[in-house]
């Protein structure tokens, strides 16, 4: 007699990908590790500190992670943003961001859509998203064989104006993902943490 494993609470299978809404369940299932962000947002880009606990760099070439590594494994771009990709930290108090960041968080100047490229493809990726009042997201995964899978907003299950976790594990290796947000040009969305598993 075969016993089927009970699904982990806060997970959902969608096509090739399994989606997690609980960070502890995700890291236990995948062994994913947290990528390093800068310790202080204002110090991230010493040439471009922009006040209120933030600093910015040009949208291209984006942000390489782990932060400070001579051999980065992840690159974050904001291809629809106007000029800057920034780290915002505690002390950022502009009213177009709710909630305010509690640690260095990636936010774009303009439309907050993000492309995350994995220089070494991954089997799993976790994201702590800073959401706006709409909290509408669509994630497109691109695999190493150039096929794609789209995860719609209902599957991701993110709440508004919060720090929300979304984890994705796939049976195919993930080369990149694109996060399409709504309303990011007027109400900031951001990425507060990224986990990856090889």
């Amino acid at each position: 007699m075969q016993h089927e494993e009970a699904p982990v609470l806060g997970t959902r299978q969608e096509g090739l990908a399994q989606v997690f809404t609980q960070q502890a369940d995700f890291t236990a299932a995948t062994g994913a590790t947290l990528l390093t962000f800068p310790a202080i947002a204002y110090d991230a880009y010493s040439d471009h500190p922009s006040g209120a606990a933030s600093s910015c760099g040009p949208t291209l070439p984006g942000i390489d992670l782990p932060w400070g590594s001579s051999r980065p494994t992840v690159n974050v771009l904001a291809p629809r943003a106007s000029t800057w990709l920034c780290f915002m930290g505690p002390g950022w108090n502009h009213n177009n961001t709710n909630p305010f960041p509690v640690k260095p968080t990636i936010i774009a100047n303009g439309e907050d859509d993000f492309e995350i490229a994995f220089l070494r493809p991954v089997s799993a990726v976790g994201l702590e998203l800073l959401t706006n009042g709409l909290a509408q997201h669509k994630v497109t995964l691109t695999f190493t064989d150039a096929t794609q899978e789209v995860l719609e907003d209902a599957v991701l299950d993110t709440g508004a104006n919060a720090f929300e976790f979304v984890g994705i594990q796939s049976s195919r290796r993930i080369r990149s993902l694109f996060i399409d947000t709504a309303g990011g040009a007027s109400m900031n969305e951001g990425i507060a943490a990224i986990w990856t598993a090889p």
Side-chain angles (χ1 to χ4, degrees):
M1 181 177 194
Q2 290 185 330
H3 296 283
E4 290 187 16
E5 289 187 24
V8 177
L9 293 177
T11 68
R12 182 181 305 188
Q13 189 73 32
E14 183 75 14
L16 297 169
Q18 184 173 16
V19 178
F20 294 78
T21 57
Q22 299 297 318
Q23 186 258 315
D25 294 340
F26 170 78
T27 51
T30 64
T33 57
L34 185 64
L35 294 175
T36 304
F37 276 39
I40 301 172
Y42 189 80
D43 294 340
Y45 294 103
S46 56
D47 294 339
H48 297 280
S50 53
S54 67
S55 63
C56 304
T59 304
L60 292 173
I63 293 172
D64 286 332
L65 299 169
W67 185 257
S69 171
S70 59
R71 302 183 68 185
T73 59
V74 173
N75 178 259
V76 181
L77 293 171
R80 296 177 183 164
S82 53
T83 34
W84 303 104
L85 197 55
C86 304
F87 281 105
M88 310 298 186
W92 175 256
N93 56 7
H94 291 236
N95 61 6
N96 61 345
T97 307
N98 178 22
F100 294 146
V102 295
K103 59 187 176 182
T105 300
I106 300 170
I107 294 174
N109 179 21
E111 192 59 53
D112 293 318
D113 296 332
F114 299 99
E115 181 179 337
I116 303 175
F118 304 102
L119 308 182
R120 292 195 286 270
V122 299
S123 63
V125 57
L127 304 166
E128 184 180 0
L129 300 175
L130 181 154
T131 67
N132 62 22
L134 299 176
Q136 294 176 3
H137 304 91
K138 180 170 72 173
V139 170
T140 301
L141 304 171
T142 300
F143 304 108
T144 53
D145 62 3
T147 60
Q148 293 185 319
E149 180 173 355
V150 177
L151 303 173
E152 299 289 349
D153 186 65
V155 173
L156 303 173
D157 195 29
T158 52
N161 297 126
F163 287 94
E164 292 281 275
F165 178 82
V166 173
I168 301 163
Q169 182 178 32
S170 175
S171 57
R172 292 188 187 174
R173 294 197 309 158
I174 303 166
R175 186 177 66 196
S176 66
L177 66 81
F178 186 81
I179 307 167
D180 188 359
T181 67
S186 56
M187 298 183 292
N188 279 328
E189 290 251 348
I191 301 173
I194 302 173
W195 291 258
T196 60

